[in-house]
Amino acid sequence: MTTITVQVDNEQNAALLEKMLKALSFVEDVDIKNNQPNIVEEPKGSYQKLKKAIDNTEGNIMFKDIKDPSKWQSDLRDEWERNI
């Protein structure tokens, strides 16, 4: 058996690499070690920031009062037009 050590620049890329390695039939084990456990990495893109915010809330109750998303969005647009 041969062991390979890889350093990855951020947690998101590490998770992606871990998934890829585990999918390979010849990889026996994947061991993740985080060298900076006390540092919180701020998401870089707006999608990641929004995803983090939703993940930190109780997502199942966030939009529970919206029954028809199209009507809800249309009502928001109507409200914007009235304020102009």
Side-chain angles (χ1 to χ4, degrees):
M1 180 170 61
T2 303
T3 301
I4 299 173
T5 303
V6 178
Q7 290 184 345
V8 183
D9 60 348
N10 64 46
E11 187 126 357
Q12 183 179 12
N13 290 340
L16 177 61
L17 182 59
E18 179 183 9
K19 286 180 185 178
M20 291 170 54
L21 290 172
K22 286 182 177 182
L24 298 173
S25 62
F26 58 86
V27 174
E28 189 174 315
D29 186 32
V30 178
D31 184 26
I32 305 296
K33 294 179 184 167
N34 188 352
N35 293 335
Q36 301 172 346
N38 294 330
I39 296 176
V40 176
E41 184 176 327
E42 182 67 27
K44 292 181 174 85
S46 58
Y47 170 79
Q48 291 298 327
K49 289 178 183 178
L50 181 59
K51 183 178 183 324
K52 181 180 177 186
I54 291 172
D55 289 345
N56 289 338
T57 63
E58 295 183 36
N60 57 345
I61 64 168
M62 199 165 178
F63 297 108
K64 70 178 181 180
D65 58 335
I66 299 173
K67 304 297 183 218
D68 181 2
S70 295
K71 182 179 179 332
W72 175 78
Q73 190 175 33
S74 177
D75 291 345
L76 283 178
R77 288 192 187 117
D78 289 344
E79 182 178 306
W80 294 339
E81 290 176 8
R82 282 183 254 145
N83 290 334
I84 293 179

